[in-house]
Short mmCIF file of all heavy atoms in Angstrom, two decimals:
data_model
loop_
_atom_site.label_atom_id
_atom_site.label_comp_id
_atom_site.label_asym_id
_atom_site.label_seq_id
_atom_site.Cartn_x
_atom_site.Cartn_y
_atom_site.Cartn_z
N GLY A 1 0.82 -1.21 0.00
CA GLY A 1 0.00 0.00 0.00
C GLY A 1 0.85 1.25 0.00
O GLY A 1 0.54 2.24 -0.70
N GLU A 2 1.93 1.24 0.78
CA GLU A 2 2.83 2.39 0.80
C GLU A 2 3.56 2.52 -0.54
O GLU A 2 3.79 3.63 -1.03
CB GLU A 2 3.83 2.25 1.95
CG GLU A 2 4.74 3.44 2.12
CD GLU A 2 5.51 3.42 3.42
OE1 GLU A 2 4.91 3.06 4.47
OE2 GLU A 2 6.70 3.77 3.42
N GLY A 3 3.91 1.37 -1.12
CA GLY A 3 4.63 1.38 -2.38
C GLY A 3 3.82 1.92 -3.54
O GLY A 3 4.38 2.26 -4.59
N LEU A 4 2.48 1.99 -3.38
CA LEU A 4 1.64 2.53 -4.45
C LEU A 4 1.89 4.02 -4.67
O LEU A 4 1.52 4.57 -5.70
CB LEU A 4 0.16 2.30 -4.13
CG LEU A 4 -0.30 0.84 -4.09
CD1 LEU A 4 -1.76 0.75 -3.66
CD2 LEU A 4 -0.09 0.16 -5.43
N PHE A 5 2.50 4.67 -3.68
CA PHE A 5 2.82 6.08 -3.78
C PHE A 5 4.33 6.23 -4.00
O PHE A 5 5.12 5.67 -3.23
CB PHE A 5 2.38 6.83 -2.52
CG PHE A 5 0.90 6.70 -2.25
CD1 PHE A 5 0.41 5.73 -1.40
CD2 PHE A 5 0.00 7.54 -2.88
CE1 PHE A 5 -0.95 5.59 -1.15
CE2 PHE A 5 -1.37 7.43 -2.64
CZ PHE A 5 -1.84 6.44 -1.78
N ARG A 6 4.71 6.98 -4.99
CA ARG A 6 6.12 7.07 -5.37
C ARG A 6 6.93 7.78 -4.29
O ARG A 6 6.60 8.91 -3.91
CB ARG A 6 6.27 7.81 -6.71
CG ARG A 6 7.71 7.85 -7.21
CD ARG A 6 7.84 8.61 -8.51
NE ARG A 6 9.21 8.61 -8.99
CZ ARG A 6 9.73 7.69 -9.77
NH1 ARG A 6 8.96 6.69 -10.20
NH2 ARG A 6 10.99 7.74 -10.15
N TYR A 7 7.99 7.12 -3.82
CA TYR A 7 8.89 7.72 -2.84
C TYR A 7 10.06 8.39 -3.55
O TYR A 7 10.27 8.23 -4.76
CB TYR A 7 9.37 6.66 -1.85
CG TYR A 7 10.09 7.24 -0.65
CD1 TYR A 7 9.49 8.23 0.13
CD2 TYR A 7 11.39 6.84 -0.32
CE1 TYR A 7 10.16 8.78 1.22
CE2 TYR A 7 12.06 7.38 0.77
CZ TYR A 7 11.43 8.36 1.53
OH TYR A 7 12.09 8.91 2.59
N LEU A 8 10.84 9.12 -2.76
CA LEU A 8 11.98 9.85 -3.29
C LEU A 8 12.91 8.94 -4.08
O LEU A 8 13.37 9.31 -5.17
CB LEU A 8 12.74 10.50 -2.11
CG LEU A 8 14.02 11.27 -2.44
CD1 LEU A 8 13.73 12.42 -3.40
CD2 LEU A 8 14.65 11.81 -1.15
N ARG A 9 13.17 7.77 -3.54
CA ARG A 9 14.04 6.80 -4.21
C ARG A 9 13.34 5.44 -4.24
O ARG A 9 13.45 4.66 -3.29
CB ARG A 9 15.38 6.69 -3.48
CG ARG A 9 16.19 7.97 -3.48
CD ARG A 9 17.50 7.83 -2.71
NE ARG A 9 18.19 9.10 -2.61
CZ ARG A 9 17.95 10.00 -1.67
NH1 ARG A 9 17.03 9.76 -0.74
NH2 ARG A 9 18.62 11.15 -1.64
N PRO A 10 12.60 5.15 -5.30
CA PRO A 10 11.94 3.84 -5.39
C PRO A 10 12.96 2.71 -5.31
O PRO A 10 14.09 2.83 -5.79
CB PRO A 10 11.27 3.87 -6.77
CG PRO A 10 11.13 5.33 -7.09
CD PRO A 10 12.33 5.99 -6.47
N ARG A 11 12.55 1.62 -4.69
CA ARG A 11 13.46 0.50 -4.52
C ARG A 11 12.69 -0.79 -4.77
O ARG A 11 11.48 -0.86 -4.58
CB ARG A 11 14.03 0.51 -3.10
CG ARG A 11 12.97 0.44 -2.04
CD ARG A 11 13.44 0.80 -0.65
NE ARG A 11 12.36 0.64 0.30
CZ ARG A 11 12.45 0.96 1.59
NH1 ARG A 11 13.57 1.46 2.07
NH2 ARG A 11 11.42 0.78 2.40
N GLY A 12 13.42 -1.82 -5.17
CA GLY A 12 12.84 -3.14 -5.35
C GLY A 12 11.59 -3.12 -6.22
O GLY A 12 11.58 -2.56 -7.32
N PHE A 13 10.52 -3.71 -5.70
CA PHE A 13 9.27 -3.84 -6.45
C PHE A 13 8.64 -2.48 -6.74
O PHE A 13 7.83 -2.35 -7.67
CB PHE A 13 8.30 -4.73 -5.68
CG PHE A 13 7.08 -5.12 -6.46
CD1 PHE A 13 7.18 -5.87 -7.62
CD2 PHE A 13 5.82 -4.74 -6.03
CE1 PHE A 13 6.05 -6.23 -8.35
CE2 PHE A 13 4.68 -5.10 -6.73
CZ PHE A 13 4.80 -5.85 -7.90
N GLU A 14 8.99 -1.46 -5.94
CA GLU A 14 8.45 -0.12 -6.19
C GLU A 14 8.86 0.38 -7.57
O GLU A 14 8.11 1.13 -8.22
CB GLU A 14 8.95 0.86 -5.11
CG GLU A 14 8.42 0.57 -3.74
CD GLU A 14 9.10 1.41 -2.67
OE1 GLU A 14 10.07 2.13 -2.99
OE2 GLU A 14 8.65 1.36 -1.52
N LYS A 15 10.04 -0.01 -8.03
CA LYS A 15 10.48 0.41 -9.36
C LYS A 15 9.57 -0.13 -10.43
O LYS A 15 9.29 0.56 -11.44
CB LYS A 15 11.93 -0.04 -9.59
CG LYS A 15 12.95 0.63 -8.68
CD LYS A 15 14.35 0.12 -8.96
CE LYS A 15 15.37 0.80 -8.04
NZ LYS A 15 16.75 0.29 -8.28
N PHE A 16 9.06 -1.34 -10.24
CA PHE A 16 8.10 -1.90 -11.19
C PHE A 16 6.78 -1.14 -11.12
O PHE A 16 6.20 -0.78 -12.15
CB PHE A 16 7.87 -3.38 -10.91
CG PHE A 16 6.68 -3.95 -11.65
CD1 PHE A 16 6.79 -4.29 -13.00
CD2 PHE A 16 5.46 -4.12 -11.00
CE1 PHE A 16 5.69 -4.79 -13.69
CE2 PHE A 16 4.37 -4.63 -11.69
CZ PHE A 16 4.49 -4.96 -13.04
N LEU A 17 6.30 -0.90 -9.87
CA LEU A 17 5.01 -0.23 -9.71
C LEU A 17 5.00 1.15 -10.34
O LEU A 17 3.96 1.60 -10.84
CB LEU A 17 4.67 -0.12 -8.22
CG LEU A 17 4.29 -1.43 -7.51
CD1 LEU A 17 4.15 -1.18 -6.02
CD2 LEU A 17 3.00 -2.01 -8.08
N HIS A 18 6.13 1.83 -10.32
CA HIS A 18 6.19 3.19 -10.86
C HIS A 18 6.89 3.22 -12.22
O HIS A 18 7.29 4.28 -12.70
CB HIS A 18 6.87 4.11 -9.85
CG HIS A 18 6.10 4.24 -8.58
ND1 HIS A 18 5.06 5.12 -8.42
CD2 HIS A 18 6.19 3.55 -7.40
CE1 HIS A 18 4.55 4.99 -7.22
NE2 HIS A 18 5.22 4.04 -6.58
N GLY A 19 7.03 2.05 -12.81
CA GLY A 19 7.58 1.93 -14.16
C GLY A 19 6.61 1.14 -15.02
O GLY A 19 5.51 1.62 -15.32
N PRO A 20 6.96 -0.09 -15.39
CA PRO A 20 6.08 -0.89 -16.24
C PRO A 20 4.70 -1.14 -15.64
O PRO A 20 3.71 -1.28 -16.37
CB PRO A 20 6.86 -2.20 -16.41
CG PRO A 20 8.28 -1.85 -16.14
CD PRO A 20 8.25 -0.76 -15.12
N GLY A 21 4.62 -1.20 -14.31
CA GLY A 21 3.34 -1.50 -13.65
C GLY A 21 2.55 -0.28 -13.25
O GLY A 21 1.61 -0.39 -12.44
N ASN A 22 2.89 0.89 -13.80
CA ASN A 22 2.25 2.13 -13.36
C ASN A 22 0.74 2.12 -13.60
O ASN A 22 -0.04 2.60 -12.76
CB ASN A 22 2.87 3.33 -14.06
CG ASN A 22 2.38 4.64 -13.48
OD1 ASN A 22 2.44 4.85 -12.27
ND2 ASN A 22 1.89 5.53 -14.33
N GLY A 23 0.30 1.57 -14.73
CA GLY A 23 -1.13 1.52 -15.01
C GLY A 23 -1.88 0.67 -13.99
O GLY A 23 -2.94 1.06 -13.48
N LEU A 24 -1.31 -0.48 -13.66
CA LEU A 24 -1.90 -1.35 -12.65
C LEU A 24 -1.94 -0.65 -11.30
O LEU A 24 -2.95 -0.71 -10.58
CB LEU A 24 -1.09 -2.64 -12.56
CG LEU A 24 -1.45 -3.59 -11.41
CD1 LEU A 24 -2.86 -4.12 -11.58
CD2 LEU A 24 -0.44 -4.75 -11.36
N ARG A 25 -0.84 0.02 -10.95
CA ARG A 25 -0.77 0.74 -9.67
C ARG A 25 -1.88 1.78 -9.57
O ARG A 25 -2.58 1.87 -8.54
CB ARG A 25 0.60 1.42 -9.56
CG ARG A 25 0.81 2.24 -8.29
CD ARG A 25 2.02 3.14 -8.42
NE ARG A 25 1.83 4.15 -9.45
CZ ARG A 25 1.17 5.30 -9.26
NH1 ARG A 25 0.63 5.56 -8.09
NH2 ARG A 25 1.04 6.17 -10.25
N ARG A 26 -2.07 2.56 -10.62
CA ARG A 26 -3.08 3.62 -10.57
C ARG A 26 -4.48 3.03 -10.48
O ARG A 26 -5.34 3.55 -9.75
CB ARG A 26 -2.96 4.51 -11.81
CG ARG A 26 -1.65 5.28 -11.85
CD ARG A 26 -1.54 6.15 -13.08
NE ARG A 26 -2.51 7.23 -13.05
CZ ARG A 26 -2.56 8.21 -13.96
NH1 ARG A 26 -1.70 8.21 -14.97
NH2 ARG A 26 -3.47 9.16 -13.86
N ARG A 27 -4.72 1.93 -11.17
CA ARG A 27 -6.04 1.30 -11.09
C ARG A 27 -6.30 0.76 -9.68
O ARG A 27 -7.43 0.83 -9.19
CB ARG A 27 -6.16 0.17 -12.12
CG ARG A 27 -6.29 0.66 -13.55
CD ARG A 27 -6.71 -0.46 -14.50
NE ARG A 27 -5.70 -1.50 -14.61
CZ ARG A 27 -4.68 -1.46 -15.47
NH1 ARG A 27 -4.53 -0.41 -16.28
NH2 ARG A 27 -3.81 -2.46 -15.53
N MET A 28 -5.26 0.24 -9.03
CA MET A 28 -5.42 -0.28 -7.67
C MET A 28 -5.84 0.83 -6.72
O MET A 28 -6.75 0.65 -5.90
CB MET A 28 -4.11 -0.92 -7.20
CG MET A 28 -3.78 -2.23 -7.90
SD MET A 28 -2.13 -2.85 -7.45
CE MET A 28 -2.37 -3.22 -5.71
N ILE A 29 -5.18 1.97 -6.82
CA ILE A 29 -5.51 3.08 -5.92
C ILE A 29 -6.90 3.62 -6.21
O ILE A 29 -7.74 3.77 -5.31
CB ILE A 29 -4.47 4.22 -6.04
CG1 ILE A 29 -3.09 3.75 -5.61
CG2 ILE A 29 -4.91 5.42 -5.20
CD1 ILE A 29 -2.01 4.79 -5.79
N ASN A 30 -7.15 3.92 -7.48
CA ASN A 30 -8.40 4.59 -7.82
C ASN A 30 -9.61 3.69 -7.69
O ASN A 30 -10.74 4.18 -7.56
CB ASN A 30 -8.30 5.20 -9.22
CG ASN A 30 -7.30 6.34 -9.28
OD1 ASN A 30 -7.26 7.17 -8.38
ND2 ASN A 30 -6.48 6.38 -10.32
N SER A 31 -9.39 2.37 -7.70
CA SER A 31 -10.51 1.46 -7.47
C SER A 31 -11.06 1.63 -6.06
O SER A 31 -12.27 1.45 -5.83
CB SER A 31 -10.09 0.01 -7.70
OG SER A 31 -9.12 -0.40 -6.73
N ILE A 32 -10.20 2.00 -5.10
CA ILE A 32 -10.67 2.25 -3.74
C ILE A 32 -11.61 3.45 -3.74
O ILE A 32 -12.65 3.46 -3.07
CB ILE A 32 -9.48 2.50 -2.78
CG1 ILE A 32 -8.55 1.29 -2.76
CG2 ILE A 32 -9.99 2.79 -1.36
CD1 ILE A 32 -7.28 1.52 -1.96
N GLY A 33 -11.27 4.47 -4.54
CA GLY A 33 -12.15 5.63 -4.64
C GLY A 33 -13.49 5.28 -5.25
O GLY A 33 -14.55 5.73 -4.78
N SER A 34 -13.48 4.43 -6.26
CA SER A 34 -14.73 4.01 -6.90
C SER A 34 -15.61 3.25 -5.91
O SER A 34 -16.83 3.45 -5.85
CB SER A 34 -14.43 3.15 -8.12
OG SER A 34 -13.66 3.86 -9.07
N VAL A 35 -14.98 2.38 -5.14
CA VAL A 35 -15.74 1.63 -4.13
C VAL A 35 -16.31 2.58 -3.09
O VAL A 35 -17.48 2.43 -2.67
CB VAL A 35 -14.84 0.57 -3.46
CG1 VAL A 35 -15.56 -0.06 -2.25
CG2 VAL A 35 -14.46 -0.51 -4.45
N SER A 36 -15.53 3.59 -2.67
CA SER A 36 -16.01 4.55 -1.67
C SER A 36 -17.24 5.31 -2.18
O SER A 36 -18.20 5.52 -1.44
CB SER A 36 -14.90 5.54 -1.31
OG SER A 36 -13.80 4.87 -0.72
N VAL A 37 -17.20 5.73 -3.44
CA VAL A 37 -18.33 6.46 -4.02
C VAL A 37 -19.59 5.60 -3.97
O VAL A 37 -20.67 6.07 -3.58
CB VAL A 37 -18.01 6.90 -5.47
CG1 VAL A 37 -19.27 7.44 -6.15
CG2 VAL A 37 -16.91 7.95 -5.48
N ARG A 38 -19.46 4.33 -4.35
CA ARG A 38 -20.63 3.44 -4.34
C ARG A 38 -21.06 3.09 -2.92
O ARG A 38 -22.25 3.11 -2.58
CB ARG A 38 -20.32 2.16 -5.11
CG ARG A 38 -20.12 2.37 -6.61
CD ARG A 38 -20.17 1.03 -7.34
NE ARG A 38 -19.15 0.12 -6.84
CZ ARG A 38 -17.90 0.04 -7.34
NH1 ARG A 38 -17.54 0.83 -8.33
NH2 ARG A 38 -17.04 -0.83 -6.85
N GLN A 39 -20.08 2.77 -2.08
CA GLN A 39 -20.40 2.29 -0.74
C GLN A 39 -21.09 3.35 0.11
O GLN A 39 -22.02 3.06 0.86
CB GLN A 39 -19.11 1.83 -0.05
CG GLN A 39 -19.30 1.17 1.31
CD GLN A 39 -18.01 0.52 1.81
OE1 GLN A 39 -17.17 0.11 1.01
NE2 GLN A 39 -17.86 0.42 3.11
N PHE A 40 -20.66 4.61 -0.02
CA PHE A 40 -21.24 5.68 0.78
C PHE A 40 -22.33 6.45 0.04
O PHE A 40 -22.93 7.35 0.62
CB PHE A 40 -20.14 6.66 1.20
CG PHE A 40 -19.11 6.07 2.13
CD1 PHE A 40 -17.76 6.27 1.91
CD2 PHE A 40 -19.49 5.32 3.23
CE1 PHE A 40 -16.80 5.74 2.75
CE2 PHE A 40 -18.54 4.77 4.09
CZ PHE A 40 -17.20 4.98 3.85
N GLY A 41 -22.57 6.12 -1.21
CA GLY A 41 -23.58 6.85 -1.97
C GLY A 41 -23.20 8.31 -2.17
O GLY A 41 -24.06 9.20 -2.09
N LEU A 42 -21.92 8.56 -2.43
CA LEU A 42 -21.44 9.95 -2.47
C LEU A 42 -22.04 10.75 -3.62
O LEU A 42 -22.26 11.96 -3.47
CB LEU A 42 -19.90 9.96 -2.58
CG LEU A 42 -19.13 9.32 -1.42
CD1 LEU A 42 -17.63 9.50 -1.63
CD2 LEU A 42 -19.56 9.93 -0.09
N ALA A 43 -22.31 10.12 -4.74
CA ALA A 43 -22.89 10.86 -5.86
C ALA A 43 -24.27 11.37 -5.49
O ALA A 43 -24.61 12.55 -5.75
CB ALA A 43 -22.94 9.97 -7.10
#
């Protein structure tokens, strides 16, 4: 969860998350927002 946010010096698997896996990383984070909108009826 912490690795989903880019740190000053990415290391290990973080380099993948903020490189080739960036699209997957963003979908993982923003899916929580989508669930929150539905779960709380925010719209």
Side-chain angles (χ1 to χ4, degrees):
E2 185 167 319
L4 295 176
F5 301 95
R6 184 182 181 89
Y7 191 54
L8 177 59
R9 297 178 185 85
R11 58 195 183 184
F13 190 62
E14 293 171 353
K15 294 179 180 179
F16 168 79
L17 289 173
H18 296 276
N22 189 52
L24 172 64
R25 178 194 65 83
R26 295 180 67 175
R27 287 193 295 273
M28 289 173 66
I29 297 176
N30 293 318
S31 65
I32 301 174
S34 300
V35 171
S36 297
V37 170
R38 292 194 302 271
Q39 186 170 331
F40 295 133
L42 298 184

